[in-house]
Structure formats: structure tokens, C-alpha cells
Amino acid sequence: MLSEKTYRRYSREIFMYLDLDNVICEVSDNFYENLKFKKEDVIGKSINDFIIEKSINIQEEYDLKELVLKDKNSEKKYFSVKVTKIYDDSNILIGAYLILFDITEYKNIEHEYTVLKYLADKSYDIIYRVEVYPKLKFTYINDAVEKLLGVTKEQHYEDANILFKLIHPDDAKKLQDKINNVSKYRRALELRYINKKGKYMFLEDFSIPEYDKDGRLISFQGISRCIQDRKELESKLQYLSYNDIITGVTNKTYFTKEMRRLNKNGTNMVTIIILDLDGLKNTNDEYGHLIGDELIIAAANILKEVFYEQSTISRIGGDEFAVIVNNASEVYIKEKFKVLDEKIEKYNYEEIIKISISKGYSIYKDFNKDIKLTIDEADYKMYQDKNSKKNY
């Protein structure tokens, strides 16, 4: 799970994990700051115990945008919500991540002020109004644009096309489609702009189009807020979903995904190598799992040293690894096995706890066959190697 330091960094947004029964399994530390409930008050309970007006079910297909929760004092708190469903290796739903952004202050002021006026005075978000007809021209933009992008309001007023100088080239078409009345305005746009530090950052843009009596688009008013923290967090979650935390190599989920891709779109010859760390259970029983983990890490590091080119290493089990090698001859694989044996021998000479790795390989070049047959052959050869050894 994410560290306390990481949670604090993303304090504007609440991170939550739900299981299939909508039970809260984990929440970020700032849950207390927003709703006054401690972690122990909510973990193990259904999220629907805290929802007002309606309930949710993560197993259903729906487009959830907003939630109303009650805090410890039974007061309403409004949140925009982003739901990311989580699936296992068999593509079966196992839970969901929720990212909640507190919009209570925006909801509460709707009765007294317009949202636009309040945000213009108080918000760190960019508030703007821009005309697109008869020509592109800003009629309002707040100070936040300078804080985020390092470009002044005056520069926007002087030249509205400054947007195209700041936007990431790959996102320019999305911006042009918005101006050309092609976008679906009910959806937020995620656009990258260069910031005052010279790096691209993500802004989430909500805009409301204005039309004249002839139905012609004449202007937009909207809000753009920085979601860089969220995108970085999503990137970290994406990394965690495909990488093994202990060793840093890719995990079984990634390996399975690659096998499906190759099975469907195989065009290049690949070699599948299956490797098994011999005697790990004995090491765990005799020295403890911490030493066992150190042995796993050492084995992974050796594999990285050997298969450093045109290869992908995955940890597919507690003591099992797989390597995908692209466009390699059988001579090349055997040479790599020789190098692997030499590095293991060198490691064992220097360390007290020894490493032994059984290995087998098979070349996938008949793309009409199921790649599982190639994996099974490599696995069979690995067990032949294991059975040929003593004391394991």
C-alpha cells in the first residue's frame, strides 16, 4: 500500500480501496481531515454506510461522477469521484480504487454566489471566459494561470493563441476540436501545458459552451485545475499493477498480458525461459522469510545482469521467474545460460546462503499454435533440470 508520506502529499484528494462487496479495505490518512472518521472507524465497513441519498455497487456498470457522504457529525460532504476497477489475471473483477475530491465548498456557495465568482476570488484553479467568434479572445482569466503556467493574464488578453504555444503537441488537436465545436463538452478534457518550471503538467478542463440564437458557438467559460498529483499517483498505481515490489522486475500480471498479446498478434520469434529458485522453502524454514526475500532479490539482480538486452524479466511466482527474449537464436540462449551459471558461481563464492536456479527454455516461432504450449515446454525442461540435481 502507499506510504503515509505519499498520502500526505496528495492531501487534497482521498484515496480509497473497496472490495467486491463495497467494503472499505483501505483509506488514505486524510480521510480523518475531511470526514472526521479515523481509519479504524471505516475500514471493514461498507462505503454505503457513509453515503447519503443513494448507494453504489462497484460490480455494476455505471458512470459515477459525484458522491455525497456524511461526516462524523452527520453533515453532508460533496465529492467528485474517479473509479478505477481492478481485475485479476483472469480478468475477473476483484475490487476498485476510488479517488475523491472534496467539492463541498463549491456546492455550499451555490446558494449565495455564482460558482464562477467564488472560484475567481478563492480558487487555485484557472477560471476563464474565452470568445471563439468572431475571433479567439479572452474576456476573463484569473491570477491562477500565472501561478500554474507562469504566463500572465495580460499575455492571454493580448494573444489568445498563446494556448497553442503552451499546450503539448499531442494535445493540440483536442484543444482545436474544442474551439471548433467538435468536442463533447459534458466531458472534462485532460490537457498538458508547459508550466513555469518548463515541464508539462496535466490540467483537467471543465467548460460550458455558449451559443448565439443561430446555434453558433461564440464562447466558453470554464475551470481548469491541476491534476498532476493525481496523474502521478495513477502512474504509480499502474506501475504497481505490472511490477513486482520486492525485485523491481515485471510481475505475473504483466507476463500474462504479454502472453495474450503474443498469442493474438505474434509476429516476431521469441524465446520463453522459465527459471525456478531451488530450495527457497528450505531457506525460509531455516533462516526466515527475510533471508528468503534477499535470496529472491539477489536472483532477480543476477537475471537483470544476464538478460539486459532485448529481454523482459518477470517474477511469476514466489520462487519462479520468466524471461521473454526477442529474436534470439538457440546458440544465444545457451550462451546466456553459461553466463548465468558463471554469475551464480561467483555469487555463491562470495555469499554464505547459496543460490541455485533450475532453468528451461522453448522458442515460440509457430504463430498458429497457442503460446501456452511453448510455456509448458519451457516449464517441463526446467523441471528436468531441477530433477537432475541433488539435495533439492
Side-chain angles (χ1 to χ4, degrees):
M1 299 304 295
L2 300 178
S3 68
E4 181 180 350
K5 180 179 179 182
T6 305
Y7 280 141
R8 287 199 301 267
R9 180 180 175 192
Y10 302 100
S11 60
R12 290 189 70 194
E13 296 175 324
I14 295 173
F15 177 79
M16 180 182 294
Y17 178 74
L18 305 180
D19 67 13
L20 275 182
D21 296 319
N22 309 299
V23 171
I24 301 170
C25 300
E26 181 59 276
V27 295
S28 52
D29 292 341
N30 61 348
F31 194 87
Y32 177 81
E33 298 171 16
N34 284 271
L35 293 161
K36 305 307 177 187
F37 287 105
K38 296 180 180 179
K39 277 190 174 184
E40 53 266 31
D41 295 330
V42 297
I43 291 179
K45 295 183 179 179
S46 171
I47 188 175
N48 292 314
D49 293 342
F50 305 91
I51 294 177
I52 299 173
E53 299 176 351
K54 63 181 179 181
S55 61
I56 66 171
N57 183 350
I58 66 167
Q59 298 189 54
E60 296 178 358
E61 291 294 333
Y62 58 90
D63 190 17
L64 184 64
K65 295 294 185 184
E66 191 173 295
L67 279 179
V68 184
L69 304 181
K70 59 183 177 182
D71 66 12
K72 198 166 186 179
N73 298 320
S74 296
E75 294 182 4
K76 288 184 179 181
K77 300 279 283 187
Y78 295 86
F79 296 88
S80 65
V81 58
K82 180 179 178 64
V83 180
T84 302
K85 293 187 177 182
I86 307 301
Y87 299 86
D88 65 10
D89 297 343
S90 302
N91 204 32
I92 297 175
L93 182 67
I94 58 174
Y97 293 112
L98 272 65
I99 299 176
L100 307 176
F101 183 82
D102 189 351
I103 58 172
T104 304
E105 61 179 5
Y106 300 153
K107 289 287 186 178
N108 289 340
I109 64 167
E110 285 177 346
H111 301 295
E112 300 178 20
Y113 309 96
T114 66
V115 175
L116 189 58
K117 182 180 185 303
Y118 181 83
L119 291 177
D121 293 338
K122 302 289 185 181
S123 180
Y124 291 104
D125 303 331
I126 298 171
I127 315 298
Y128 65 89
R129 184 180 184 277
V130 59
E131 291 182 356
V132 297
Y133 180 83
K135 68 175 183 178
L136 192 65
K137 179 179 70 173
F138 278 96
T139 58
Y140 175 79
I141 192 164
N142 68 345
D143 291 327
V145 70
E146 186 169 0
K147 295 175 183 175
L148 289 174
L149 303 182
V151 181
T152 66
K153 296 189 298 182
E154 289 71 26
Q155 287 175 282
H156 282 75
Y157 291 139
E158 290 171 6
D159 180 14
N161 283 299
I162 195 171
L163 293 173
F164 290 98
K165 298 175 184 176
L166 299 172
I167 198 166
H168 192 286
D170 293 342
D171 293 341
K173 185 178 184 303
K174 289 195 285 186
L175 178 60
Q176 190 65 61
D177 286 346
K178 173 183 170 180
I179 293 171
N180 292 341
N181 199 23
V182 176
S183 297
K184 295 181 179 179
Y185 303 111
R186 66 181 179 274
R187 296 181 180 175
L189 285 178
E190 292 185 357
L191 303 170
R192 287 164 290 179
Y193 290 92
I194 197 105
N195 65 15
K196 59 185 178 182
K197 296 181 180 179
K199 296 181 179 180
Y200 283 104
M201 64 187 297
F202 275 93
L203 297 181
E204 187 173 53
D205 181 68
F206 297 88
S207 60
I208 300 172
E210 297 178 274
Y211 301 90
D212 64 15
K213 62 181 181 180
D214 298 320
R216 178 168 46 203
L217 179 67
I218 58 173
S219 69
F220 296 99
Q221 59 183 15
I223 302 170
S224 290
R225 69 181 181 92
C226 177
I227 57 168
Q228 187 63 25
D229 283 352
R230 181 211 294 176
K231 299 301 289 187
E232 290 177 4
L233 180 57
E234 288 175 352
S235 178
K236 288 179 181 178
L237 291 174
Q238 180 78 359
Y239 175 84
L240 290 174
S241 67
Y242 285 123
N243 289 269
D244 178 56
I245 297 174
I246 293 178
T247 62
V249 301
T250 60
N251 60 17
K252 185 177 181 180
T253 301
Y254 180 86
F255 178 76
T256 303
K257 181 173 75 74
E258 278 297 285
M259 293 302 98
R260 288 172 181 163
R261 184 186 65 81
L262 290 169
N263 214 31
K264 185 178 180 180
N265 303 311
T267 55
N268 297 320
M269 181 179 71
V270 297
T271 302
I272 307 297
I273 304 172
I274 301 297
L275 308 106
D276 193 86
L277 192 57
D278 299 319
L280 182 63
K281 183 179 184 303
N282 295 336
T283 300
N284 288 334
D285 292 343
E286 186 171 353
Y287 300 103
H289 285 273
L290 288 178
I291 299 299
D293 285 350
E294 289 181 8
L295 209 62
I296 292 169
I297 293 169
N301 288 337
I302 291 174
L303 293 177
K304 291 175 191 176
E305 291 178 12
V306 176
F307 298 100
Y308 59 89
E309 55 187 4
Q310 64 192 57
S311 306
T312 302
I313 305 167
S314 302
R315 184 184 176 203
I316 59 175
D319 53 4
E320 195 170 14
F321 293 86
V323 181
I324 306 170
V325 186
N326 295 310
N327 298 316
S329 67
E330 197 162 3
V331 172
Y332 175 88
I333 298 300
K334 289 181 178 180
E335 181 62 30
K336 286 293 183 181
F337 278 7
K338 181 180 177 182
V339 174
L340 175 61
D341 290 339
E342 290 171 353
K343 287 189 176 293
I344 291 174
E345 183 178 356
K346 181 176 183 297
Y347 175 90
N348 289 340
Y349 178 78
E350 297 171 348
E351 301 293 335
I352 297 175
I353 309 291
K354 310 301 181 186
I355 286 179
S356 174
I357 297 178
S358 297
K359 50 193 179 293
Y361 72 92
S362 180
I363 300 175
Y364 177 62
K365 52 188 175 181
D366 185 351
F367 306 129
N368 294 317
K369 290 185 178 180
D370 191 332
I371 198 169
K372 186 177 184 301
L373 298 175
T374 305
I375 299 172
D376 289 343
E377 182 180 0
D379 198 54
Y380 175 75
K381 290 180 179 178
M382 181 274 292
Y383 275 106
Q384 281 187 315
D385 184 32
K386 185 180 288 287
N387 291 333
S388 68
K389 300 174 183 178
K390 297 179 180 180
N391 301 324
Y392 291 110

